[in-house]
Amino acid sequence: MSVANRISTMTIAFDNTYARLPARFYARIAPTRVREPRIVKVNYPLAELLGLDPALLCSPEGVQILAGNAVPEGAASIALAYAGHQFGGFVHQLGDGRAILLGEVVGADGGRRDIQLKGSGRTPFSRGGDGRAALGPVLREYIVSEAMAALGVPTTRALAAATTGEPVVREELLPGAVLTRVAASHLRVGTFEFFAARDDREALAILTSYALARHFPREASGDPEYQNDALRLLECVVDAQASLVARWLGVGFVHGVMNTDNTSISGETIDYGPCAFLDEYDPKKKFSSIDHGGRYAFGNQPRIALWNLARFAETLLPLMADDTEQAARLATARLDRFSVRFDAAYARVMRAKLGLALEDDNDAVLVADLLERLASNHVDYAVFFRALCTAAEDVSADEGLASLFEQPGAFHTWAEVWRRRLLKEELTPQARASAMRRVNPAFIPRNHRIEQAIVAAVDGNFEPFETLVNVLARPYDDQPNFAYLADPPLPDERVCATFCGT
Ligand code: AMP
Ligand code: MG
């Protein structure tokens, strides 16, 4: 393979902390050159947030960097080591098989972020893979991760997408592409598992303090009296994951491949493989073609997050206490927080969707009852909640809402209880409706629209992709000209299965 042999003259103010960790945390490797790089998209606002000049990224020099043909000065250029549980089974070594961390930058907001090329060629962790990414999955990750950011869900971001001018071999020949991904970090539960599986306590201690300092600095400098770093980190990650998954459920997101190597320590959504958004509400819904048992189905996600956190806790046991039983007791107490934290976060999310500002004991029942009715009547999740915003200020919208249900009465009986509950709060209907419109999106990245954008792009037409990205940047605003992007799929547009696309 021909490796990027040029140092680019473009300067990026890298400050690479991960590359200063011991050598066994990563492999130093340059991206592999590609034939004919072309920019598909540069994310201007994100570039500016990172302190990068977006126009420079679009320049011939920038293209070379974003496709992996040149490495900017000061880049780390490393592939990270990690392991992970995939569908419940442990894999001793995974690692960045097709990604290279260029380095870290500190943005205008003071936040430190990784800039990573994904699809940039083989690394020592590639195993049988080609190190490449196809255009489809790259655009999919671009669209969905940016939509998640605009929806207010913690997520990695997409700084750029470039085509390589080289085909990749999947079931068919597809155009190759490279995604430039931005993340709070690429630390995963699987990173800790990598070292735990090798009994490398020293590495685990280094990772623990690194993760605390990078992601939870307040806790890192917090009250050291009664707990150690490993316990504090476990607590923070439990909280971050509980809150993250609650937000997924609020927007109808199915991650699709919640393996521990895809579980970020920072609490961001990471790895947009076979992910999808619900059309009709169905807690058993799964899209991924390889998730045969529905392990990662929509409604299973909180349970799986806890399972992943238990694997995380196991890696930290040796750091928690010398006595194994004592360590297990301490860890279990932290894991027990998950359901409390998740329930509270989920209740907050769902109350807001219903236009409720205050807590009430019966809210959980009100929510559960509604969800059951949505499921048994095959009602579109996003369409329902967006229409409910209107109903909050205009009772005459009820008829339209009821018509979304196979049994319209199922809506009316629930709505009676909901309206009585609204009376307990003082908000004006207008204020309530506009608060609801800030949490119930008009636009979500619907699978069929993503597929259509990908098919067009593979054919050379990037317009549907551009439109989708632009509309999804403002998911809470009505954009009447693009109402068709808010609509559920027609029967023949439905996408039933998604693929990892690796
Ligand atoms: P994922 O399913 O994308 O989370 O990837 C799981 C593992 O497979 C990670 O270690 C990836 O780096 C690796 N991998 C996925 N696709 C490729 C590829 N095309 N070439 C090399 N490694 C890959
Ligand atoms: Mg992954």
Side-chain angles (χ1 to χ4, degrees), residues 234 238 241-242 245 258 263 300-313 331-332 334-339 342:
L234 177 57
V238 164
Q241 286 290 325
V245 175
M258 283 177 76
T263 304
N300 266 356
Q301 296 183 113
R303 250 176 8 100
I304 292 294
L306 178 57
W307 192 88
N308 291 343
L309 289 164
R311 304 290 78 72
F312 180 50
T332 306
R334 269 53 185 198
L335 289 171
D336 286 345
R337 287 160 63 105
F338 179 83
S339 62
F342 172 77

Side-chain angles (χ1 to χ4, degrees), residues 97-361:
R98 53 164 172 169
I100 289 174
L101 176 63
L102 285 184
E104 300 154 37
V105 293
V106 177
D109 61 350
R112 173 180 296 277
R113 292 182 185 83
D114 281 3
I115 301 180
Q116 187 205 57
L117 299 182
K118 186 172 171 185
S120 51
R122 290 178 51 82
T123 76
F125 305 111
S126 295
R127 298 174 294 160
D130 62 0
R132 288 297 177 192
L135 178 60
V138 164
L139 297 186
R140 189 181 186 80
E141 174 152 355
Y142 196 113
I143 295 165
V144 185
S145 67
E146 283 305 299
M148 290 284 268
L151 286 164
V153 182
T155 179
T156 64
R157 307 269 320 253
L159 177 63
T163 49
T164 60
E166 293 176 9
V168 294
V169 187
R170 297 295 181 258
E171 289 82 25
E172 51 190 322
L173 280 188
L174 295 167
V178 177
L179 179 81
T180 307
R181 175 159 78 179
V182 170
S185 85
H186 284 85
L187 286 175
R188 308 143 190 269
V189 168
T191 317
F192 288 78
E193 289 180 292
F194 180 88
F195 294 108
R198 288 157 181 76
D199 276 327
D200 190 340
R201 235 173 114 153
E202 187 198 40
L204 286 167
I206 292 170
L207 264 187
T208 299
S209 49
Y210 181 87
L212 266 180
R214 184 155 175 186
H215 297 303
F216 310 103
R218 268 187 315 170
E219 283 77 3
S221 59
D223 172 14
E225 250 189 349
Y226 69 105
Q227 19 170 302
N228 61 27
D229 280 358
L231 279 170
R232 269 207 293 273
L233 179 63
L234 177 57
E235 259 178 37
C236 293
V237 178
V238 164
D239 291 358
Q241 286 290 325
S243 146
L244 178 67
V245 175
R247 284 159 184 258
W248 287 358
L249 299 198
V251 295
F253 178 74
V254 188
H255 183 284
V257 60
M258 283 177 76
N259 294 330
T260 56
D261 53 304
N262 296 336
T263 304
S264 155
I265 296 300
S266 73
E268 286 182 338
T269 313
I270 190 168
D271 250 340
Y272 292 87
C275 65
F277 277 69
L278 292 181
D279 294 305
E280 357 184 287
Y281 181 78
D282 175 5
K284 293 190 290 300
K285 187 71 191 170
K286 59 115 186 165
F287 295 89
S288 168
S289 58
I290 57 169
D291 187 4
H292 303 295
R295 176 183 172 90
Y296 299 141
F298 178 76
N300 266 356
Q301 296 183 113
R303 250 176 8 100
I304 292 294
L306 178 57
W307 192 88
N308 291 343
L309 289 164
R311 304 290 78 72
F312 180 50
E314 283 165 6
T315 70
L316 297 176
L317 289 176
L319 304 180
M320 287 178 181
D322 291 331
D323 177 65
T324 319
E325 275 176 34
Q326 166 74 353
R329 259 197 309 279
L330 291 167
T332 306
R334 269 53 185 198
L335 289 171
D336 286 345
R337 287 160 63 105
F338 179 83
S339 62
V340 179
R341 293 292 173 137
F342 172 77
D343 288 350
Y346 183 65
R348 239 185 344 266
V349 165
M350 296 311 285
R351 266 202 313 273
K353 287 178 79 69
L354 293 180
L356 304 170
L358 309 172
E359 285 179 49
D360 185 285
D361 287 347

